[in-house]
Amino acid sequence: MTAVYINDVSAFLPNQPVGNDEIEDVLGKIQNISSKTRRIVLKNNQITKRYYAIDPETGALTHSNAQMTAEAVRGLRSGSDAEFDPRTIACLCCGTSTPDVLLPGHALMVLGELAIPECDAVTTAGICISGMTAFKYAWMNVALDLVPNAVATGSELASSFTRAKYMTPYFNEKETEGIEKQPLRAFDADFLRWMLSDGAGAALLSPQPNPEGISLKVEWIEHISFAGELDTCMYCGGVKQEDGGVTGWRESEKGTAEQEEPFMMSIRQDIRLLDRNIVDTMGRTLCRVVEKYGLKPEEIDWFLPHYSSAYFRPKFFEVMGEVGFEIPYEKWFTNLPEKGNTGSAAMYIILAELFHSGRLKPGEQLLCFIPESGRFSHCFMLLTVV
């Protein structure tokens, strides 16, 4: 295969950063009541700032997902810091959890926003991993000499699901009475309001490193899913049943309990299932890539983890030690506290900050880690600075 290089990585974060005490001013209060879970969740995730594509004065969305993604693509540079021309894109791969419409695909909507000539355009669906499946498709196309370049993106407009205007209908007076009887169910929905942020990132890939400055050579990228053995953990557009199965929105007329229907289109996460499985499956995936590629922890100069909350930081560190692949914290790089949890865009946003920081040196190796709790999937990627 042809060697593939990341020539640039860019990030787009909408509007001004929002502090912890301002979240409900922007998202709004459900039933005009302050959340009881906010302080608990924020204490655990240690996020201090995040970005929302929302006008804080009117509550209206300021950007669509496709518009944010297009802005990230326009922010790319090529060669010796020259402005990149999106019209030269040969392959556009876009991943997201929160597309603007169900149909057509997100990549096509981004292509429309960019208003560029025809090209290969592919959408990858999922949650956090979707940004990396888009990246892998772009990488494979360049590596197989199918295209001269590719742009991969990850983006999220999570606030569109967490605004009070959107969530209040799911927590009307009738459901509020039920919440008192099922507090964990309410927490599964409210929990994510204090976790998710908006943003987009893009990466430019080609078979040539930059003539000046650094590039990142993509050594390999691996995706492993445990969906065949574990229940759904994070979901939207359905209702989780007692047996662990999920009834999709299309089947709501088939007898879904009336009290379940208002929760159908809210994003939820089964936090008990998350806590039981996300760390263990990460360790199992790490063991596979270590064996397959002969990885040695002492050869890793930077560890770039995307985790949804600082709560999992020591847990991932511990399981890495248990499998014999401990990487000291001083080699970890994350911007979760300042940029928030941007899901499928997170690794692009992390890479963009480090790539342009001036801290990377030729020969250094970066191990990227991206977990997804949807039904427990993990991605590892190894990059070398050239």
Side-chain angles (χ1 to χ4, degrees):
M1 291 196 305
T2 299
V4 180
Y5 301 89
I6 299 175
N7 300 111
D8 194 23
V9 196
S10 69
F12 177 78
L13 298 167
N15 303 317
Q16 296 299 310
V18 176
N20 288 350
D21 293 333
E22 304 168 300
I23 297 175
E24 286 185 308
D25 293 335
V26 180
L27 295 181
K29 298 177 182 178
I30 298 175
Q31 298 287 27
N32 292 317
I33 301 172
S34 293
S35 168
K36 296 178 181 179
T37 66
R38 180 174 68 92
R39 294 190 182 280
I40 299 172
V41 176
L42 289 172
K43 180 180 179 181
N44 281 320
N45 67 31
Q46 294 182 24
I47 297 171
T48 60
K49 297 177 182 177
R50 75 281 299 143
Y51 292 78
Y52 297 131
I54 296 176
D55 184 329
E57 299 298 324
T58 66
L61 292 176
T62 58
H63 301 77
S64 69
N65 190 327
Q67 288 171 339
M68 289 196 302
T69 309
E71 288 297 329
V73 174
R74 294 187 186 106
L76 290 169
R77 296 291 181 266
S78 63
S80 54
D81 205 34
E83 186 173 347
F84 173 68
D85 186 353
R87 291 176 298 178
T88 64
I89 295 174
C91 178
L92 178 66
C93 311
C94 302
T96 188
S97 315
T98 53
D100 298 313
V101 291
L102 293 176
L103 302 171
H106 177 56
L108 304 186
M109 303 306 287
V110 175
L111 196 58
E113 285 292 333
L114 291 170
I116 60 177
E118 66 276 4
C119 70
D120 183 5
V122 173
T123 302
T124 59
I127 309 179
C128 298
I129 293 292
S130 65
M132 300 313 295
T133 51
F135 185 97
K136 190 169 185 177
Y137 185 90
W139 168 67
M140 289 190 298
N141 268 270
V142 176
L144 293 173
D145 291 322
L146 299 176
V147 293
N149 67 58
V151 169
T153 73
S155 60
E156 298 298 351
L157 187 60
S159 66
S160 60
F161 287 92
T162 56
R163 291 176 297 167
K165 289 180 180 179
Y166 181 88
M167 294 187 72
T168 297
Y170 303 110
F171 291 88
N172 60 34
E173 185 176 349
K174 181 178 179 181
E175 280 72 48
T176 303
E177 294 174 1
I179 285 170
E180 298 301 322
K181 300 175 183 177
Q182 294 183 316
L184 283 174
R185 183 175 187 79
F187 186 75
D188 283 354
D190 195 38
F191 165 78
L192 290 171
R193 296 193 84 204
W194 323 115
M195 300 290 290
L196 304 177
S197 307
D198 298 342
L204 172 62
L205 287 72
S206 82
Q208 298 89 24
N210 292 321
E212 297 179 18
I214 64 167
S215 304
L216 299 175
K217 182 183 179 184
V218 183
E219 302 291 352
W220 50 258
I221 179 169
E222 287 280 335
H223 294 130
I224 303 296
S225 176
F226 297 87
E229 61 183 79
L230 294 171
D231 289 339
T232 304
C233 179
M234 186 174 178
Y235 56 99
C236 176
V239 173
K240 193 166 185 180
Q241 306 299 335
E242 293 296 328
D243 63 1
V246 175
T247 300
W249 59 272
R250 284 190 179 90
E251 300 180 83
S252 60
E253 73 278 8
K254 292 185 178 180
T256 302
E258 182 181 347
Q259 64 268 26
E260 304 282 7
E261 291 181 8
F263 298 97
M264 192 76 72
M265 298 306 293
S266 58
I267 296 179
R268 294 180 176 271
Q269 188 166 49
D270 187 330
I271 56 173
R272 293 127 301 185
L273 192 62
L274 174 70
D275 206 33
R276 286 199 302 268
N277 293 293
I278 195 69
V279 176
D280 174 66
T281 51
M282 182 269 202
R284 291 168 62 186
T285 305
L286 180 58
C287 285
R288 288 185 59 160
V289 297
V290 166
E291 180 178 0
K292 181 174 180 178
Y293 296 103
L295 280 182
K296 297 179 180 178
E298 62 271 19
E299 295 176 350
I300 303 302
D301 300 286
W302 298 88
F303 180 55
L304 280 57
H306 158 57
Y307 42 79
S308 61
S309 167
Y311 170 81
F312 291 109
R313 181 180 171 94
K315 293 178 180 292
F316 285 137
F317 180 82
E318 182 179 359
V319 77
M320 290 172 74
E322 290 174 357
V323 302
F325 205 84
E326 181 177 305
I327 298 178
Y329 278 136
E330 56 263 30
K331 292 187 176 183
W332 291 40
F333 182 85
T334 179
N335 51 20
L336 176 71
E338 301 83 25
K339 301 299 191 297
N341 175 13
T342 49
S344 67
M347 187 48 60
Y348 293 86
I349 293 171
I350 292 170
L351 274 172
E353 181 171 333
L354 185 58
F355 187 87
H356 294 285
S357 69
R359 300 171 65 183
L360 295 177
K361 300 175 182 178
E364 290 184 329
Q365 291 201 314
L366 289 62
L367 181 63
C368 305
F369 163 57
I370 305 92
E372 176 179 300
S373 64
R375 201 154 177 170
F376 300 102
S377 303
H378 297 278
C379 171
F380 280 92
M381 176 171 65
L382 186 68
L383 307 172
T384 301
V385 183
V386 298

Short mmCIF file of all heavy atoms in Angstrom, two decimals, residues 252-301:
data_model
loop_
_atom_site.label_atom_id
_atom_site.label_comp_id
_atom_site.label_asym_id
_atom_site.label_seq_id
_atom_site.Cartn_x
_atom_site.Cartn_y
_atom_site.Cartn_z
N SER A 252 -43.10 1.84 17.13
CA SER A 252 -43.84 2.38 18.27
C SER A 252 -45.33 2.04 18.22
O SER A 252 -45.99 1.97 19.24
CB SER A 252 -43.66 3.91 18.33
OG SER A 252 -44.16 4.51 17.15
N GLU A 253 -45.84 1.81 17.00
CA GLU A 253 -47.26 1.49 16.88
C GLU A 253 -47.55 0.02 17.17
O GLU A 253 -48.70 -0.40 17.18
CB GLU A 253 -47.76 1.84 15.46
CG GLU A 253 -47.29 0.89 14.37
CD GLU A 253 -45.90 1.19 13.86
OE1 GLU A 253 -45.23 2.05 14.47
OE2 GLU A 253 -45.48 0.57 12.87
N LYS A 254 -46.48 -0.75 17.43
CA LYS A 254 -46.68 -2.19 17.63
C LYS A 254 -46.90 -2.57 19.09
O LYS A 254 -46.68 -3.70 19.47
CB LYS A 254 -45.50 -2.98 17.08
CG LYS A 254 -45.39 -2.92 15.56
CD LYS A 254 -44.27 -3.82 15.09
CE LYS A 254 -44.17 -3.81 13.57
NZ LYS A 254 -43.07 -4.69 13.09
N GLY A 255 -47.25 -1.58 19.91
CA GLY A 255 -47.56 -1.93 21.28
C GLY A 255 -46.56 -1.42 22.29
O GLY A 255 -46.58 -1.84 23.44
N THR A 256 -45.66 -0.53 21.87
CA THR A 256 -44.76 0.07 22.85
C THR A 256 -45.61 0.76 23.91
O THR A 256 -46.54 1.48 23.59
CB THR A 256 -43.84 1.10 22.18
OG1 THR A 256 -43.11 0.46 21.14
CG2 THR A 256 -42.87 1.71 23.17
N ALA A 257 -45.25 0.53 25.15
CA ALA A 257 -46.03 1.10 26.25
C ALA A 257 -46.19 2.61 26.08
O ALA A 257 -45.24 3.30 25.72
CB ALA A 257 -45.36 0.80 27.59
N GLU A 258 -47.40 3.10 26.32
CA GLU A 258 -47.68 4.52 26.11
C GLU A 258 -46.72 5.40 26.89
O GLU A 258 -46.29 6.45 26.41
CB GLU A 258 -49.12 4.81 26.52
CG GLU A 258 -49.53 6.26 26.28
CD GLU A 258 -50.95 6.53 26.74
OE1 GLU A 258 -51.68 5.56 27.01
OE2 GLU A 258 -51.30 7.73 26.83
N GLN A 259 -46.36 4.98 28.11
CA GLN A 259 -45.49 5.82 28.92
C GLN A 259 -44.07 5.88 28.38
O GLN A 259 -43.29 6.74 28.77
CB GLN A 259 -45.47 5.33 30.37
CG GLN A 259 -44.87 3.93 30.57
CD GLN A 259 -45.93 2.85 30.52
OE1 GLN A 259 -46.97 3.04 29.90
NE2 GLN A 259 -45.68 1.74 31.19
N GLU A 260 -43.72 4.97 27.46
CA GLU A 260 -42.37 4.96 26.89
C GLU A 260 -42.24 5.91 25.71
O GLU A 260 -41.16 6.41 25.42
CB GLU A 260 -42.01 3.55 26.41
CG GLU A 260 -42.11 2.46 27.47
CD GLU A 260 -40.93 2.48 28.43
OE1 GLU A 260 -40.11 3.40 28.33
OE2 GLU A 260 -40.82 1.58 29.27
N GLU A 261 -43.32 6.15 25.00
CA GLU A 261 -43.26 6.88 23.75
C GLU A 261 -42.66 8.28 23.85
O GLU A 261 -41.90 8.70 22.97
CB GLU A 261 -44.65 6.94 23.11
CG GLU A 261 -45.11 5.57 22.62
CD GLU A 261 -46.47 5.61 21.97
OE1 GLU A 261 -46.99 6.72 21.77
OE2 GLU A 261 -47.02 4.54 21.67
N PRO A 262 -42.92 9.05 24.92
CA PRO A 262 -42.33 10.40 25.00
C PRO A 262 -40.81 10.38 25.06
O PRO A 262 -40.17 11.38 24.78
CB PRO A 262 -42.93 10.96 26.31
CG PRO A 262 -44.20 10.21 26.48
CD PRO A 262 -43.88 8.82 26.00
N PHE A 263 -40.20 9.26 25.45
CA PHE A 263 -38.76 9.18 25.58
C PHE A 263 -38.08 8.75 24.27
O PHE A 263 -36.87 8.64 24.20
CB PHE A 263 -38.38 8.18 26.68
CG PHE A 263 -38.89 8.55 28.04
CD1 PHE A 263 -40.06 8.02 28.53
CD2 PHE A 263 -38.17 9.44 28.83
CE1 PHE A 263 -40.52 8.36 29.80
CE2 PHE A 263 -38.63 9.79 30.09
CZ PHE A 263 -39.81 9.25 30.58
N MET A 264 -38.85 8.49 23.25
CA MET A 264 -38.36 7.82 22.05
C MET A 264 -37.21 8.57 21.37
O MET A 264 -36.23 7.96 20.97
CB MET A 264 -39.52 7.65 21.06
CG MET A 264 -39.23 6.74 19.90
SD MET A 264 -39.24 5.00 20.33
CE MET A 264 -40.99 4.71 20.59
N MET A 265 -37.32 9.89 21.22
CA MET A 265 -36.34 10.62 20.42
C MET A 265 -35.32 11.40 21.25
O MET A 265 -34.64 12.29 20.74
CB MET A 265 -37.05 11.57 19.46
CG MET A 265 -37.94 10.86 18.45
SD MET A 265 -37.09 9.57 17.50
CE MET A 265 -35.95 10.55 16.54
N SER A 266 -35.18 11.08 22.51
CA SER A 266 -34.13 11.71 23.32
C SER A 266 -32.91 10.79 23.37
O SER A 266 -33.04 9.57 23.34
CB SER A 266 -34.64 12.00 24.74
OG SER A 266 -35.07 10.81 25.36
N ILE A 267 -31.71 11.40 23.42
CA ILE A 267 -30.48 10.62 23.51
C ILE A 267 -30.34 10.10 24.93
O ILE A 267 -30.48 10.85 25.89
CB ILE A 267 -29.25 11.48 23.15
CG1 ILE A 267 -29.33 11.93 21.70
CG2 ILE A 267 -27.97 10.71 23.38
CD1 ILE A 267 -28.17 12.80 21.27
N ARG A 268 -30.04 8.81 25.04
CA ARG A 268 -29.92 8.20 26.36
C ARG A 268 -28.69 7.31 26.44
O ARG A 268 -28.18 6.84 25.43
CB ARG A 268 -31.17 7.36 26.69
CG ARG A 268 -32.38 8.23 26.83
CD ARG A 268 -33.64 7.45 27.16
NE ARG A 268 -34.70 8.42 27.36
CZ ARG A 268 -34.99 8.97 28.53
NH1 ARG A 268 -34.31 8.64 29.60
NH2 ARG A 268 -35.95 9.87 28.63
N GLN A 269 -28.23 7.11 27.65
CA GLN A 269 -27.10 6.23 27.88
C GLN A 269 -27.36 5.41 29.14
O GLN A 269 -27.69 5.97 30.19
CB GLN A 269 -25.81 7.04 28.05
CG GLN A 269 -24.56 6.19 28.10
CD GLN A 269 -23.30 7.04 27.93
OE1 GLN A 269 -23.14 8.06 28.58
NE2 GLN A 269 -22.41 6.61 27.05
N ASP A 270 -27.23 4.10 29.01
CA ASP A 270 -27.40 3.21 30.15
C ASP A 270 -26.10 3.25 30.95
O ASP A 270 -25.14 2.54 30.66
CB ASP A 270 -27.68 1.79 29.66
CG ASP A 270 -28.03 0.82 30.78
OD1 ASP A 270 -27.53 1.03 31.91
OD2 ASP A 270 -28.76 -0.16 30.53
N ILE A 271 -26.05 4.12 31.96
CA ILE A 271 -24.80 4.37 32.66
C ILE A 271 -24.31 3.16 33.46
O ILE A 271 -23.11 3.02 33.71
CB ILE A 271 -24.92 5.60 33.57
CG1 ILE A 271 -26.08 5.44 34.56
CG2 ILE A 271 -25.09 6.85 32.74
CD1 ILE A 271 -26.14 6.55 35.58
N ARG A 272 -25.22 2.29 33.88
CA ARG A 272 -24.79 1.08 34.59
C ARG A 272 -24.07 0.13 33.65
O ARG A 272 -23.01 -0.42 33.97
CB ARG A 272 -26.01 0.39 35.22
CG ARG A 272 -26.66 1.18 36.33
CD ARG A 272 -28.15 1.36 36.13
NE ARG A 272 -28.46 2.05 34.88
CZ ARG A 272 -29.65 2.42 34.51
NH1 ARG A 272 -30.68 2.15 35.30
NH2 ARG A 272 -29.85 3.05 33.38
N LEU A 273 -24.62 -0.03 32.45
CA LEU A 273 -23.99 -0.88 31.44
C LEU A 273 -22.66 -0.27 31.01
O LEU A 273 -21.67 -0.99 30.79
CB LEU A 273 -24.93 -1.02 30.25
CG LEU A 273 -24.60 -2.09 29.20
CD1 LEU A 273 -24.62 -3.48 29.82
CD2 LEU A 273 -25.59 -2.01 28.05
N LEU A 274 -22.62 1.04 30.88
CA LEU A 274 -21.40 1.75 30.51
C LEU A 274 -20.28 1.46 31.51
O LEU A 274 -19.17 1.09 31.12
CB LEU A 274 -21.68 3.25 30.47
CG LEU A 274 -20.48 4.18 30.23
CD1 LEU A 274 -19.97 4.03 28.81
CD2 LEU A 274 -20.85 5.63 30.53
N ASP A 275 -20.58 1.61 32.77
CA ASP A 275 -19.57 1.44 33.82
C ASP A 275 -19.05 0.00 33.89
O ASP A 275 -17.89 -0.24 34.19
CB ASP A 275 -20.16 1.85 35.17
CG ASP A 275 -19.09 2.29 36.16
OD1 ASP A 275 -18.08 2.88 35.71
OD2 ASP A 275 -19.25 2.06 37.36
N ARG A 276 -19.92 -0.95 33.55
CA ARG A 276 -19.52 -2.36 33.63
C ARG A 276 -18.64 -2.79 32.46
O ARG A 276 -17.83 -3.71 32.62
CB ARG A 276 -20.76 -3.26 33.66
CG ARG A 276 -21.52 -3.26 34.96
CD ARG A 276 -22.42 -4.49 35.06
NE ARG A 276 -23.37 -4.60 33.96
CZ ARG A 276 -24.60 -4.10 33.99
NH1 ARG A 276 -25.01 -3.41 35.05
NH2 ARG A 276 -25.42 -4.25 32.96
N ASN A 277 -18.79 -2.15 31.29
CA ASN A 277 -18.17 -2.71 30.09
C ASN A 277 -17.17 -1.86 29.33
O ASN A 277 -16.36 -2.40 28.59
CB ASN A 277 -19.28 -3.13 29.11
CG ASN A 277 -20.12 -4.28 29.64
OD1 ASN A 277 -19.63 -5.39 29.79
ND2 ASN A 277 -21.38 -4.00 29.94
N ILE A 278 -17.21 -0.54 29.47
CA ILE A 278 -16.38 0.30 28.61
C ILE A 278 -14.89 0.10 28.87
O ILE A 278 -14.07 0.06 27.93
CB ILE A 278 -16.76 1.79 28.75
CG1 ILE A 278 -16.16 2.61 27.59
CG2 ILE A 278 -16.34 2.36 30.10
CD1 ILE A 278 -16.75 2.33 26.26
N VAL A 279 -14.50 -0.08 30.12
CA VAL A 279 -13.08 -0.24 30.45
C VAL A 279 -12.59 -1.63 30.08
O VAL A 279 -11.50 -1.80 29.50
CB VAL A 279 -12.84 0.06 31.94
CG1 VAL A 279 -11.38 -0.20 32.31
CG2 VAL A 279 -13.22 1.50 32.26
N ASP A 280 -13.38 -2.64 30.40
CA ASP A 280 -12.99 -4.02 30.09
C ASP A 280 -12.82 -4.22 28.59
O ASP A 280 -11.83 -4.82 28.14
CB ASP A 280 -14.05 -4.99 30.62
CG ASP A 280 -13.78 -6.43 30.20
OD1 ASP A 280 -12.76 -6.99 30.65
OD2 ASP A 280 -14.56 -6.97 29.41
N THR A 281 -13.74 -3.71 27.79
CA THR A 281 -13.63 -3.90 26.34
C THR A 281 -12.48 -3.10 25.77
O THR A 281 -11.87 -3.49 24.76
CB THR A 281 -14.96 -3.51 25.64
OG1 THR A 281 -15.37 -2.21 26.06
CG2 THR A 281 -16.05 -4.52 25.95
N MET A 282 -12.13 -1.98 26.39
CA MET A 282 -10.94 -1.23 25.96
C MET A 282 -9.70 -2.07 26.17
O MET A 282 -8.83 -2.17 25.29
CB MET A 282 -10.84 0.07 26.74
CG MET A 282 -9.66 0.95 26.32
SD MET A 282 -8.13 0.66 27.24
CE MET A 282 -7.29 2.21 26.96
N GLY A 283 -9.59 -2.72 27.34
CA GLY A 283 -8.44 -3.56 27.62
C GLY A 283 -8.32 -4.72 26.65
O GLY A 283 -7.22 -5.07 26.18
N ARG A 284 -9.46 -5.31 26.32
CA ARG A 284 -9.45 -6.44 25.37
C ARG A 284 -9.01 -5.99 23.97
O ARG A 284 -8.27 -6.69 23.29
CB ARG A 284 -10.84 -7.07 25.32
CG ARG A 284 -11.23 -7.81 26.60
CD ARG A 284 -12.72 -8.15 26.62
NE ARG A 284 -13.09 -9.06 25.53
CZ ARG A 284 -14.35 -9.42 25.28
NH1 ARG A 284 -15.33 -8.94 26.04
NH2 ARG A 284 -14.62 -10.26 24.28
N THR A 285 -9.47 -4.80 23.57
CA THR A 285 -9.08 -4.28 22.25
C THR A 285 -7.59 -3.94 22.23
O THR A 285 -6.88 -4.24 21.25
CB THR A 285 -9.89 -3.03 21.91
OG1 THR A 285 -11.29 -3.32 22.00
CG2 THR A 285 -9.58 -2.54 20.51
N LEU A 286 -7.10 -3.33 23.30
CA LEU A 286 -5.69 -2.98 23.38
C LEU A 286 -4.81 -4.22 23.27
O LEU A 286 -3.79 -4.21 22.57
CB LEU A 286 -5.41 -2.23 24.69
CG LEU A 286 -3.97 -1.80 24.93
CD1 LEU A 286 -3.47 -0.88 23.81
CD2 LEU A 286 -3.85 -1.09 26.28
N CYS A 287 -5.22 -5.29 23.93
CA CYS A 287 -4.46 -6.55 23.85
C CYS A 287 -4.35 -7.03 22.40
O CYS A 287 -3.30 -7.52 21.97
CB CYS A 287 -5.12 -7.62 24.71
SG CYS A 287 -4.86 -7.41 26.49
N ARG A 288 -5.43 -6.89 21.65
CA ARG A 288 -5.44 -7.35 20.26
C ARG A 288 -4.48 -6.54 19.39
O ARG A 288 -3.71 -7.11 18.60
CB ARG A 288 -6.85 -7.27 19.68
CG ARG A 288 -7.80 -8.32 20.22
CD ARG A 288 -9.15 -8.30 19.54
NE ARG A 288 -9.05 -8.52 18.10
CZ ARG A 288 -10.07 -8.91 17.35
NH1 ARG A 288 -11.25 -9.14 17.90
NH2 ARG A 288 -9.93 -9.06 16.05
N VAL A 289 -4.50 -5.21 19.54
CA VAL A 289 -3.63 -4.40 18.69
C VAL A 289 -2.17 -4.52 19.11
O VAL A 289 -1.26 -4.45 18.27
CB VAL A 289 -4.08 -2.92 18.65
CG1 VAL A 289 -5.47 -2.80 18.06
CG2 VAL A 289 -4.02 -2.27 20.02
N VAL A 290 -1.92 -4.69 20.40
CA VAL A 290 -0.55 -4.90 20.88
C VAL A 290 0.04 -6.16 20.26
O VAL A 290 1.17 -6.17 19.76
CB VAL A 290 -0.50 -4.97 22.42
CG1 VAL A 290 0.84 -5.51 22.89
CG2 VAL A 290 -0.76 -3.60 23.02
N GLU A 291 -0.75 -7.24 20.27
CA GLU A 291 -0.28 -8.50 19.71
C GLU A 291 -0.14 -8.41 18.19
O GLU A 291 0.85 -8.90 17.62
CB GLU A 291 -1.26 -9.62 20.06
CG GLU A 291 -0.85 -10.99 19.52
CD GLU A 291 -1.81 -12.09 19.92
OE1 GLU A 291 -2.80 -11.81 20.62
OE2 GLU A 291 -1.58 -13.25 19.51
N LYS A 292 -1.10 -7.78 17.52
CA LYS A 292 -1.08 -7.73 16.06
C LYS A 292 0.08 -6.90 15.52
O LYS A 292 0.71 -7.27 14.52
CB LYS A 292 -2.41 -7.15 15.56
CG LYS A 292 -2.51 -7.08 14.03
CD LYS A 292 -3.91 -6.64 13.59
CE LYS A 292 -4.01 -6.57 12.06
NZ LYS A 292 -5.39 -6.19 11.63
N TYR A 293 0.38 -5.77 16.19
CA TYR A 293 1.38 -4.85 15.66
C TYR A 293 2.68 -4.83 16.46
O TYR A 293 3.60 -4.06 16.13
CB TYR A 293 0.80 -3.43 15.60
CG TYR A 293 -0.36 -3.32 14.64
CD1 TYR A 293 -1.67 -3.27 15.09
CD2 TYR A 293 -0.15 -3.29 13.25
CE1 TYR A 293 -2.74 -3.17 14.21
CE2 TYR A 293 -1.21 -3.20 12.36
CZ TYR A 293 -2.49 -3.14 12.85
OH TYR A 293 -3.55 -3.05 11.96
N GLY A 294 2.79 -5.65 17.49
CA GLY A 294 4.01 -5.69 18.28
C GLY A 294 4.29 -4.38 19.00
O GLY A 294 5.45 -3.96 19.14
N LEU A 295 3.25 -3.71 19.46
CA LEU A 295 3.40 -2.43 20.14
C LEU A 295 4.14 -2.57 21.47
O LEU A 295 3.96 -3.56 22.19
CB LEU A 295 2.02 -1.81 20.41
CG LEU A 295 1.30 -1.08 19.27
CD1 LEU A 295 -0.02 -0.53 19.80
CD2 LEU A 295 2.13 0.01 18.68
N LYS A 296 4.94 -1.55 21.79
CA LYS A 296 5.62 -1.51 23.08
C LYS A 296 5.35 -0.14 23.70
O LYS A 296 5.50 0.90 23.04
CB LYS A 296 7.12 -1.70 22.89
CG LYS A 296 7.49 -3.07 22.31
CD LYS A 296 8.99 -3.22 22.12
CE LYS A 296 9.33 -4.60 21.54
NZ LYS A 296 10.79 -4.75 21.31
N PRO A 297 4.91 -0.11 24.95
CA PRO A 297 4.52 1.16 25.57
C PRO A 297 5.64 2.18 25.60
O PRO A 297 5.40 3.39 25.47
CB PRO A 297 4.08 0.76 26.98
CG PRO A 297 4.72 -0.57 27.22
CD PRO A 297 4.77 -1.25 25.89
N GLU A 298 6.89 1.75 25.75
CA GLU A 298 8.00 2.70 25.82
C GLU A 298 8.26 3.40 24.48
O GLU A 298 8.95 4.42 24.42
CB GLU A 298 9.27 1.99 26.29
CG GLU A 298 9.79 0.89 25.40
CD GLU A 298 9.21 -0.49 25.73
OE1 GLU A 298 8.15 -0.55 26.41
OE2 GLU A 298 9.82 -1.49 25.30
N GLU A 299 7.69 2.87 23.39
CA GLU A 299 7.88 3.48 22.08
C GLU A 299 6.83 4.54 21.76
O GLU A 299 6.91 5.23 20.74
CB GLU A 299 7.86 2.40 20.99
CG GLU A 299 9.03 1.42 21.09
CD GLU A 299 8.95 0.31 20.07
OE1 GLU A 299 7.88 0.19 19.40
OE2 GLU A 299 9.92 -0.46 19.93
N ILE A 300 5.84 4.68 22.64
CA ILE A 300 4.78 5.67 22.45
C ILE A 300 5.17 6.98 23.12
O ILE A 300 5.44 7.02 24.33
CB ILE A 300 3.44 5.15 23.02
CG1 ILE A 300 3.06 3.83 22.37
CG2 ILE A 300 2.35 6.21 22.82
CD1 ILE A 300 2.92 3.87 20.87
N ASP A 301 5.24 8.05 22.34
CA ASP A 301 5.62 9.36 22.88
C ASP A 301 4.42 10.18 23.33
O ASP A 301 4.52 11.00 24.23
CB ASP A 301 6.39 10.14 21.81
CG ASP A 301 7.66 9.43 21.37
OD1 ASP A 301 8.63 9.42 22.14
OD2 ASP A 301 7.65 8.86 20.25
#
